[in-house]
Amino acid sequence: MKNNEIKEAVLLAGATGYLGGYIAKELEARRIRVKILMRDSRKAALLNTVNSTVLNAEVTKPETLKGLFKGVHTVISTIGITRQKDGLTYMDVDYRANMNILEKAKRAGVKKMIYVSVINGPLHRNLKMVEAKEAFVDKLKSSGLDYVIIRPNGFFSDMRDFLQMAKGGRVFLFGNGKKKFNPIHGADLAQVCVDAISSRKKVISVGGPDILTHNEVAEMALLASGKPINIIHLPHWIRKMTLWTLRTFTSSKTYGPIEFFLSLMAEDAIAPRYGSHRLSVFFQKEADSIKKAKQL
Ligand SMILES: NC(=O)c1ccc[n+]([C@@H]2O[C@H](COP(=O)([O-])OP(=O)(O)OC[C@H]3O[C@@H](n4cnc5c(N)ncnc54)[C@H](OP(=O)(O)O)[C@@H]3O)[C@@H](O)[C@H]2O)c1
């Protein structure tokens, strides 16, 4: 089935986030009718969409989802904790909130669900964030609904951490910085997610067009910030000690995102290449807008 043959709506959960915002734009560009769930409808204005209906709902509270899935063919969810500080755990949001969506969707006769997990998820179930995401993936697979699991590499939005360090004149990396990965821009990934509506694939692993070493990403960030190349390589024992300390003395709400980042920094993460957005251009645009904001 082609996207433009879909008469029923697509329901999108997560549109207020980085990836979800691009998915909303991509659905709009393809003139696909979409219902957007959000907990704070003031954020709807930022999306600037015409073919969408914004529905106010709290995905963590199943009673607020009642009746919203009527006439929906496919659900796309990018719901997950990244930098939110709501006092909830990954199990509350990445697992339970997505289960609330799945259960309501199934009851309403939705045909398909597209869910965004992480690259190499099954290999990293020991990490708190991935444990919750993969527990949901298991449930989705056995739900009886048609499904696609998207397994993306790091998003460009997360690469801002490199820029942040570069602004201070140096970038810290673990090991020799030669581990490789191919981060992806939200706009490129959104195309993959919307194409998934009519895909027969069950799992789509995807990354950006450029396979880069951590050293190369650090250099790009320093260059974009107008700083000399200054990369400090920290030994892996510091990374392991940091992980141990955080896991021992903080809650998973604190250590979860850091645990994910520090663990993935220690390995190559390469997914099939897709898209046209280059990280160097993204860094330059971000650095320029930081400079402009400072001048105002
Ligand atoms: N960033 C990466 O490098 C990366 C890589 C691979 C996979 N992923 C995964 O891809 C997904 C999307 O990432 P993203 O960067 O687009 O994340 P994001 O910008 O933080 O967006 C997450 C979305 O989930 C919603 N959400 C979070 N906690 C919620 C809660 N308690 N109740 C209701 N809604 C809640 C947010 O709503 P509000 O706006 O209302 O908070 C937002 O719409 C996440 O699951 C992430 O783990 C990320």
Side-chain angles (χ1 to χ4, degrees):
M1 180 173 25
K2 293 211 175 89
N3 288 341
N4 57 10
E5 289 169 8
I6 299 168
K7 298 280 179 285
E8 294 163 296
V10 167
L11 183 140
L12 173 62
T16 53
Y18 171 73
L19 173 60
Y22 282 107
I23 296 177
K25 276 194 198 134
E26 187 63 29
L27 289 164
E28 179 78 10
R30 299 193 198 186
R31 298 180 193 281
I32 296 173
R33 213 154 55 79
V34 52
K35 289 184 176 188
I36 292 178
L37 293 191
M38 60 176 75
R39 54 177 166 169
D40 181 355
S41 40
R42 285 172 303 181
K43 292 186 180 173
L46 299 172
L47 291 173
N48 195 20
T49 51
V50 179
N51 287 315
S52 349
T53 315
V54 172
L55 304 167
N56 200 234
E58 283 271 2
V59 285
T60 48
K61 296 182 183 145
E63 64 279 11
T64 68
L65 299 173
K66 229 173 148 190
L68 305 185
F69 292 76
K70 203 167 164 240
V72 170
H73 178 279
T74 299
V75 168
I76 304 178
S77 174
T78 66
I79 294 284
I81 297 179
T82 58
R83 286 160 209 253
Q84 289 78 7
K85 299 265 181 279
D86 299 308
L88 298 174
T89 64
Y90 292 117
M91 273 298 173
D92 295 330
V93 179
D94 295 64
Y95 175 72
R96 191 62 245 174
N98 281 303
M99 280 305 292
N100 292 340
I101 293 172
L102 175 60
E103 282 160 6
K104 287 282 185 288
K106 202 174 166 184
R107 221 165 288 156
V110 169
K111 301 284 183 299
K112 183 167 186 173
M113 181 159 178
I114 297 162
Y115 173 65
V116 180
S117 184
V118 289
I119 187 170
N120 296 334
L123 302 178
H124 293 292
R125 282 177 176 262
N126 59 316
L127 307 178
K128 280 289 169 195
M129 177 200 286
V130 182
E131 178 190 28
K133 285 189 189 302
E134 292 304 311
F136 177 71
V137 166
D138 292 343
K139 293 287 186 188
L140 178 56
K141 281 182 176 172
S142 60
S143 67
L145 251 68
D146 191 7
Y147 66 87
V148 182
I149 314 297
I150 311 280
R151 297 199 173 283
N153 217 326
F155 298 175
F156 276 17
S157 55
D158 269 14
M159 300 304 116
R160 289 188 184 117
D161 290 344
F162 283 89
L163 262 189
Q164 202 56 41
M165 286 192 272
K167 259 190 349 190
R170 73 265 175 287
V171 175
F172 294 98
L173 296 178
F174 289 106
N176 60 15
K178 289 184 182 164
K179 294 290 178 207
K180 292 180 184 157
F181 69 139
N182 55 328
I184 185 163
H185 192 287
D188 290 334
L189 183 53
Q191 289 180 359
V192 175
C193 294
V194 176
D195 284 347
I197 297 172
S198 47
S199 171
R200 286 178 190 275
K201 288 184 184 165
K202 296 289 178 211
V203 179
I204 300 177
S205 293
V206 63
D210 299 317
I211 296 171
L212 303 162
T213 64
H214 296 168
N215 284 330
E216 285 167 334
V217 174
E219 282 172 23
M220 280 178 190
L222 287 159
L223 222 67
S225 310
K227 303 284 183 190
I229 303 304
N230 182 10
I231 303 172
I232 298 164
H233 295 100
L234 302 170
H236 276 297
W237 68 260
I238 295 188
R239 185 184 63 81
K240 288 180 191 155
M241 203 180 72
T242 311
L243 270 172
W244 181 85
T245 310
L246 289 169
R247 281 174 180 150
T248 310
F249 296 110
T250 71
S251 80
S252 65
K253 291 171 202 164
T254 306
Y255 75 69
I258 309 170
E259 176 189 56
F260 182 69
F261 179 73
L262 289 184
S263 302
L264 267 76
M265 285 290 281
E267 59 189 53
D268 287 326
I270 300 168
R273 296 152 72 185
Y274 182 84
S276 58
H277 288 76
R278 324 303 296 246
L279 187 61
S280 54
V281 177
F282 174 80
F283 275 166
Q284 200 55 63
K285 282 187 185 156
E286 289 279 312
D288 290 349
S289 64
I290 293 170
K291 264 185 226 150
K292 259 188 213 149
K294 265 191 192 161
Q295 285 159 4
L296 288 178

